Amino acid sequence: MIEHLDGAVIRTGFDVPVEPLWRAAHYTGAPGCIAEARAFAANFLEQLRTEWCADVGRRTEDELLLVVSELVTNADRHSDGPYILELEGTDTSVTVVVYDSSAALPRRFPRDPQRIGRHGLEIVHALATEIAVERVPVGKRVRVVMGLRGE
């Protein structure tokens, strides 16, 4: 940041952009991977609290872990290979990205309280501020942005 006082330029020392916290993990799909991904996300949030002084409340943490669980579960069930979980965060938001080997894009079904199962993307859409799905050379990428709240 630069402050201007009577025509003089004074450097304040905050000109350097700060990189978001970024972590990635690779999962084979072996039993226990979904729980490992949730634990990885919980550790990421703790690091975000420490390094970014992010105000992440218990409800927000639970919602983020639910989104990670839903996305990783979908990758585990619907792809024939390993998958990657990437987390990127600042003091205001966390981006969750899951890559898997299936080129089939996920389907969001209409809301139906009578339906058993297939509510994962419905849940993710309810909690996220932004969702994008795209095919990539290795399969697909699902990207979800969630705002952080101190609730």
Side-chain angles (χ1 to χ4, degrees), residues 69-88:
S69 184
E70 290 294 339
L71 295 179
V72 171
T73 298
N74 285 347
D76 192 73
R77 285 187 181 160
H78 301 293
S79 69
D80 292 326
Y83 45 93
I84 297 169
L85 169 63
E86 292 182 350
L87 300 171
E88 183 176 296

Side-chain angles (χ1 to χ4, degrees), residues 1-50:
M1 176 182 249
I2 298 175
E3 292 184 19
H4 300 271
L5 299 174
D6 297 326
V9 176
I10 302 169
R11 293 200 171 272
T12 61
F14 297 107
D15 314 67
V16 180
V18 177
E19 295 295 323
L21 181 63
W22 181 86
R23 297 286 179 267
H26 175 270
Y27 300 96
T28 62
C33 284
I34 297 166
E36 288 176 26
R38 279 194 305 269
F40 176 77
N43 289 336
F44 177 85
L45 285 176
E46 190 55 40
Q47 191 173 6
L48 198 60
R49 285 182 182 106
T50 303

